[in-house]
Amino acid sequence: MLIEALTLQLGYNATLVAAGAALLGMACGATGTFLYLGNRALISDAISHSSLPGLALAFIAMAWLGMDGRSLPVLLVGSALSAFAGLHVINWLSAKTRLAEDAAIGAVLSVFFGLGIVLLTVIQSMEAGRQAGLEDFLLGSTAGMLWNDAITIAVGGALVLLFLTVFARPMAMVAFDPEFAAVSGIDTRQTVMITMGLALGVTVVGIKVAGLILIVALVTIPAVAARFWTSRVRYMVVVAGAIGAACGYLGAAISATVPDLPTGPIIVMVAFAAFLITMLVAPGRGVLAVILRHRRFQNRVHVRQGLLALAQGQPIYERLTIRLLRRRGLVRADGVATEKGRAKAAIALLDERRWQILRSDPAHEVAASSYNGLTPLESVLTLDQIAEIDKALRLEAVK
Amino acid sequence: MVLGVATRNGRHVSEDASGHSPLAIRGLTVSYGEKPVVFSMDATFESGAMTAIIGPNGAGKSTLLKAALGILAPLSGKVTCFGKPLSRQLEKIAYVPQRAGIDWDFPAPVRDVVMMGLYRNLGLMGRIGAIHHEKVMSCLARVGMDGFADRQIGRLSGGQQQRVFIARALAQCADLFLLDEPFAGVDVATEKAIVKILKELRSNGKTVVAVHHDLSTVPEYFDNVLLMNTTRIAEGAAGETFTQSNLLKAYGGALARVQISAAV
């Protein structure tokens, strides 16, 4: 069943929903990158939670008008209006009062969500409107999704991606350095509004599939994971979009195979798995890579320090140093340098002196910045340059 | 209050000469809450000269720059750039903000940051071409950072970060350079290198204005001085303005007296 779901053999509808969820996830991940870069990741949580009262009011309004209360576009418009109101209150609170933005987010999020739950209870006591299914918006669901719903979600996601490609440049500049962006002629207020607007867009469009309680994960986690893989904004947007798409797709497909399994928690679990794998194995910033690199570096530093001590006839106290030197056959068991050890020690000492000269000369700034006590000088300088340095060394010795 | 502005050449220019000044500020007031940080400030910066904005901590120097640039909204006042409202002259201005307010873990290599200086040419969707890459590299070369183009900005020293910001400002191809504490937290060698670049800009007819902290280097680096403490205290050629009595008016206090007499 799961294999069938993942390979798109669950039937037309489920396939369509999974594809829509993938596009949504891509939009969420890419948008989330800019929220993360601007230190605003939590704003999407506030947006999603404050959409609940609007969702419920839209349902009540449709019921009063005698319509089927489950028309997705109408519900989304209601959600968007109330999420917009929530955003506005947060902005107002943090701009006009002494409240910090995180406190404003917490206050608005909980009040709007509480109001929404009250309204949901009111709806449950109502007779009209076929209320069944409204709770699905809390944790997300793909059950009973129609062709039209999937199209609405896919179009919403695609629109957000389009806006992102147009405004990525100013959005990145404002996230990095808003003052410089302003002097460059970028309307920073407007750019922040666009970023917020896109966050509002993906969140509102996504609440049916991912659920309003947990959609923050689909916006935040892909961006955080992408940061481990790359150190350039443009690649980060792409990687976050890809991780988001995978999360959306897997979440929708898995939840389609198990009846009554909400999509939101599945998406969060998939996103968490992606994050965990990333955190462990990503090259460069990943935990394993950092630990390995640190170990290797530490060993090399110890060997180097040991060699310098040998060259200058100083005693070595650190056990690790002695062990490493012995393993390399540079010292004997009694701590006396071997033939090979003495030769290497002399080279290390000369190299260290050369580096010292290099560091004090601003002309060699680029080369000097690669100094870590271990890099062979030959790898950063030409033979002529080294000869130059040796000349300076000899001059120093004469003094 | 000094009404006329003495220039480097000793000419005396009346206030309406502000029409031609690269940056003229009239009656500017900025307040945080109900405390004015800059009050009814007037200043006229001389074209083709280097001017230091000096004053004690909290005197509103950085605020003055930010409000003049429209980054902060002033309560009142008028700012003109080459005789026109500054908001319409932004393309003539390059800006180097304080390094301290930046998230240096931002995912960008040096070349991407300098490329931001070309935003006015590139616009929203403009394609980055060979010309732009060349421009970025030539600006980096001017600050001696071309060897670091692909280095992550978080892996630079403070002085190197500051030179990247200078390169980004150079990429803006401006006539007026505004710098907020360009020498804060950089070593002497970097400071000298930056001063050299700024003096080159001046000899190319550019105007340089910098918020500056180190009183001992004012006469050496700058032609003119704007001394302020919430409001203008003195303005003009360094030789005439950077005097002990003016500094006492700005800094006051016994401790300052010792430092000031050492500086002048």
Side-chain angles (χ1 to χ4, degrees):
Chain A
M1 192 68 167
L2 185 61
I3 301 298
E4 285 171 352
L6 297 183
T7 53
L8 295 174
Q9 285 159 9
L10 268 191
Y12 187 60
N13 229 19
T15 304
L16 195 70
V17 170
L23 196 57
L24 171 79
M26 189 183 289
C28 282
T31 308
T33 301
F34 292 98
L35 295 178
Y36 167 83
L37 291 178
N39 293 322
R40 284 212 159 88
L42 258 192
I43 206 86
S44 66
D45 207 24
I47 292 171
S48 64
H49 279 75
S50 51
S51 67
L52 189 56
L55 182 84
L57 286 174
F59 182 89
I60 293 173
M62 281 190 287
W64 274 345
L65 293 171
M67 295 157 62
D68 178 356
R70 289 180 303 176
S71 158
L72 188 61
V74 178
L75 291 175
L76 293 189
V77 169
S79 311
L81 288 176
S82 111
F84 184 75
L87 258 187
H88 195 75
V89 176
I90 290 170
N91 280 340
W92 184 86
L93 280 177
S94 44
K96 302 286 181 203
T97 73
R98 303 192 70 97
L99 222 53
E101 195 177 65
D102 59 340
I105 287 175
V108 169
L109 180 155
S110 47
V111 170
F112 273 69
F113 188 65
L115 175 65
I117 295 290
V118 170
L119 289 171
L120 274 191
T121 319
V122 171
I123 289 171
Q124 268 160 9
S125 67
M126 282 167 51
E127 289 297 310
R130 293 169 62 199
Q131 67 265 33
L134 211 51
E135 309 78 45
D136 284 352
F137 282 89
L138 292 181
L139 289 174
S141 162
T142 51
M145 260 179 77
L146 306 172
W147 152 262
N148 277 340
D149 300 346
I151 292 296
T152 306
I153 289 164
V155 168
L159 273 178
V160 168
L161 285 174
L162 184 72
F163 271 95
L164 268 182
T165 39
V166 175
F167 291 106
R169 196 173 280 162
M171 278 162 63
M173 279 180 71
V174 169
F176 175 62
D177 186 349
E179 294 180 358
F180 183 85
V183 178
S184 297
I186 293 172
D187 186 333
T188 48
R189 256 179 64 98
Q190 191 191 51
T191 307
V192 171
M193 291 265 284
I194 291 170
T195 314
M196 294 295 143
L198 293 178
L200 192 142
V202 286
T203 310
V204 167
V205 169
I207 55 174
K208 174 74 176 90
V209 173
L212 58 85
I213 295 181
L214 293 175
I215 192 165
V216 62
L218 197 52
V219 177
T220 311
I221 297 177
V224 176
R227 185 67 184 89
F228 278 92
W229 292 99
T230 169
S231 288
R232 265 186 121 163
V233 176
R234 64 182 83 156
Y235 303 134
M236 202 178 146
V237 176
V238 174
V239 174
I243 295 175
C247 293
Y249 177 79
L250 288 173
I254 293 171
S255 99
T257 60
V258 185
D260 296 331
L261 185 62
T263 332
I266 300 291
I267 290 180
V268 174
M269 289 299 110
V270 173
F272 175 69
F275 172 74
L276 202 65
I277 294 169
T278 289
M279 193 183 71
L280 288 176
V281 307
R285 292 191 147 222
V287 173
L288 289 181
V290 169
I291 291 175
L292 278 177
R293 223 177 21 237
H294 181 76
R295 277 285 294 279
R296 209 159 21 191
F297 182 67
Q298 189 184 27
N299 286 353
R300 287 167 62 186
V301 168
H302 273 269
V303 170
R304 177 74 161 201
Q305 283 181 331
L307 286 174
L308 290 175
L310 288 179
Q312 290 161 320
Q314 292 161 348
I316 302 169
Y317 297 109
E318 285 218 47
R319 287 238 186 103
L320 177 61
T321 313
I322 297 171
R323 202 165 62 230
L324 288 167
L325 289 176
R326 278 205 61 191
R327 204 186 295 162
R328 285 164 176 74
L330 301 173
V331 291
R332 295 200 316 248
D334 58 0
V336 177
T338 61
E339 186 84 9
K340 189 175 157 202
R342 278 197 297 276
K344 283 218 163 186
I347 294 173
L349 188 64
L350 173 64
D351 199 46
E352 198 61 30
R353 291 214 170 117
R354 282 168 166 173
W355 275 106
Q356 220 154 16
I357 298 279
L358 183 78
R359 267 200 304 269
S360 64
D361 184 355
H364 288 309
E365 187 180 10
V366 179
S369 78
S370 66
Y371 171 82
N372 54 14
L374 312 162
T375 313
L377 201 65
E378 292 78 19
S379 69
V380 289
L381 290 186
T382 63
L383 287 175
D384 289 348
Q385 285 172 311
I386 294 176
E388 195 85 356
I389 284 174
D390 285 345
K391 213 162 84 189
L393 259 179
R394 279 195 296 279
L395 275 176
E396 210 170 66
V398 170
K399 269 187 236 163
Chain B
M1 189 68 74
V2 186
L3 275 178
V5 180
T7 71
R8 258 194 310 163
N9 312 328
R11 280 177 291 128
H12 215 67
V13 185
S14 62
E15 292 272 315
D16 53 37
S18 66
H20 307 291
S21 167
L23 183 63
I25 295 167
R26 289 291 166 271
L28 191 78
T29 298
V30 194
S31 81
Y32 296 131
E34 265 149 45
K35 186 187 182 307
V37 181
V38 174
F39 184 73
S40 195
M41 183 77 189
D42 295 321
T44 309
F45 294 92
E46 188 193 349
S47 179
M50 280 175 69
T51 305
I53 302 177
I54 57 175
N57 283 334
K61 304 179 294 291
S62 297
T63 306
L64 175 73
L65 267 198
K66 287 182 196 172
L69 285 167
I71 295 167
L72 288 173
L75 276 182
S76 68
K78 202 177 115 194
V79 180
T80 58
C81 175
F82 296 106
K84 291 187 193 137
L86 183 128
S87 54
R88 283 197 271 131
Q89 298 278 67
L90 282 175
E91 73 274 10
K92 295 206 169 107
I93 300 173
Y95 175 53
V96 179
Q98 283 188 29
R99 226 162 17 90
I102 300 293
D103 168 19
W104 288 99
D105 194 40
F106 195 86
V110 165
R111 62 166 75 245
D112 286 9
V113 171
V114 179
M115 193 66 84
M116 290 180 187
L118 294 174
Y119 181 79
R120 284 175 198 138
N121 308 63
L122 287 167
L124 267 189
M125 303 272 284
R127 240 192 141 64
I128 295 172
I131 307 173
H132 304 103
H133 287 298
E134 276 162 30
K135 179 78 191 167
V136 165
M137 289 313 292
S138 77
C139 291
L140 278 172
R142 278 173 78 183
V143 299
M145 288 289 290
D146 42 340
F148 291 85
D150 293 306
R151 180 74 59 98
Q152 279 296 306
I153 52 169
R155 294 185 49 222
L156 300 173
S157 72
Q160 290 168 340
Q161 288 173 346
Q162 191 64 30
R163 281 187 285 157
V164 170
F165 267 20
I166 303 268
R168 181 177 68 167
L170 292 175
Q172 292 184 294
C173 293
D175 295 320
L176 168 62
F177 287 76
L178 301 174
L179 304 94
D180 199 346
E181 299 201 21
F183 308 124
V186 305
D187 60 25
V188 182
T190 308
E191 181 167 321
K192 299 280 181 234
I194 294 174
V195 169
K196 188 165 160 267
I197 296 162
L198 297 181
K199 290 195 167 166
E200 278 167 22
L201 286 172
R202 179 187 59 188
S203 37
N204 292 333
K206 314 288 186 189
T207 306
V208 176
V209 175
V211 171
H212 189 55
H213 256 303
D214 181 6
L215 295 181
S216 66
T217 52
V218 168
E220 181 191 341
Y221 293 168
F222 294 94
D223 311 311
N224 296 345
V225 167
L226 169 63
L227 196 60
M228 69 177 289
N229 192 348
T230 310
T231 188
R232 180 176 69 183
I233 288 171
E235 181 182 22
E240 292 148 42
T241 319
F242 193 68
T243 60
Q244 190 152 354
S245 66
N246 277 339
L247 287 169
L248 272 176
K249 273 189 234 164
Y251 289 81
L255 181 68
R257 197 184 301 264
V258 179
Q259 290 169 339
I260 289 165
S261 40
V264 176

